[in-house]
Amino acid sequence: WRTLQARGELPRHVLIIRGQSGRDWFADQLRQHGIRVSIHAAYCRTQATWDDDLVSQLRRFVASGCVPVIVCTSEEGILALVRLAKQHDLYSWCVNGRFVVTHARHQEVLVEQFQLGALQKSRQIFLSGIQDDAILDAVQSVCKSISCN
């Protein structure tokens, strides 16, 4: 938003292409500046599921003492993770994991959903950029810090 404002004259009309929800804050900022906003839902997210093979693999990880390193790129993804982890009795394993998030606002969602305290937050949640290389670098750094394979 700051970058768009710094460019000078703002557009009169903006098209936001998104899933079935999201980008509300941005749309509100535009509207407050007299810009007409059109929103197009280009795709629909469906509720995630975990098949039996995946659940079996995750349970093998639990049994072997692996610490999960989980990349979170959206609030919806975090909520789906919590729901599925609870559904498959893997919630406590996830709570003890490490999380790489691509946006600071996802930190608070994780804290709330996994009931993490301030100390846990500082030790378990790592902020990366949104670029693939930044995410990969963060995951590798976290893995080195906990000696995972």
Side-chain angles (χ1 to χ4, degrees):
W1 173 241
R2 283 178 276 196
T3 302
L4 185 61
Q5 285 182 307
R7 295 183 74 190
E9 188 175 335
L10 295 172
R12 292 184 312 221
H13 186 211
V14 171
L15 170 64
I16 297 176
I17 300 173
R18 65 177 194 189
Q20 70 267 33
S21 64
R23 307 294 180 249
D24 297 325
W25 179 89
F26 185 57
D28 289 344
Q29 297 303 307
L30 294 167
R31 287 184 186 111
Q32 287 175 16
H33 286 82
I35 299 168
R36 194 176 66 174
V37 176
S38 297
I39 296 176
H40 172 70
Y43 60 92
C44 290
R45 293 180 174 156
T46 59
Q47 198 158 61
T49 59
W50 290 349
D51 64 29
D52 293 340
D53 290 339
L54 175 60
V55 172
S56 294
Q57 178 64 58
L58 294 174
R59 289 198 173 125
R60 286 192 293 276
F61 290 151
V62 172
S64 70
C66 288
V67 175
V69 178
I70 303 166
V71 177
C72 302
T73 61
S74 72
E75 182 175 343
E76 293 88 355
I78 294 167
L79 297 175
L81 169 66
V82 170
R83 180 182 58 78
L84 289 163
K86 286 179 178 179
Q87 178 183 331
H88 295 288
D89 198 26
L90 295 164
Y91 180 82
S92 62
W93 181 62
C94 291
V95 165
N96 293 311
R98 303 299 182 272
F99 302 92
V100 173
V101 297
T102 56
H103 197 285
R105 71 176 171 262
H106 300 142
Q107 292 175 316
E108 297 312 314
V109 176
L110 283 167
V111 166
E112 179 184 313
Q113 293 298 314
F114 286 108
Q115 301 172 353
L116 303 175
L119 184 59
Q120 288 173 298
K121 176 183 174 183
S122 68
R123 291 184 179 171
Q124 290 180 249
I125 303 175
F126 303 86
L127 182 62
S128 76
I130 59 171
Q131 302 82 8
D132 293 344
D133 289 344
I135 296 168
L136 182 58
D137 289 346
V139 169
Q140 289 173 332
S141 176
V142 171
C143 286
K144 286 179 187 173
S145 74
I146 59 173
S147 301
C148 67
N149 309 347

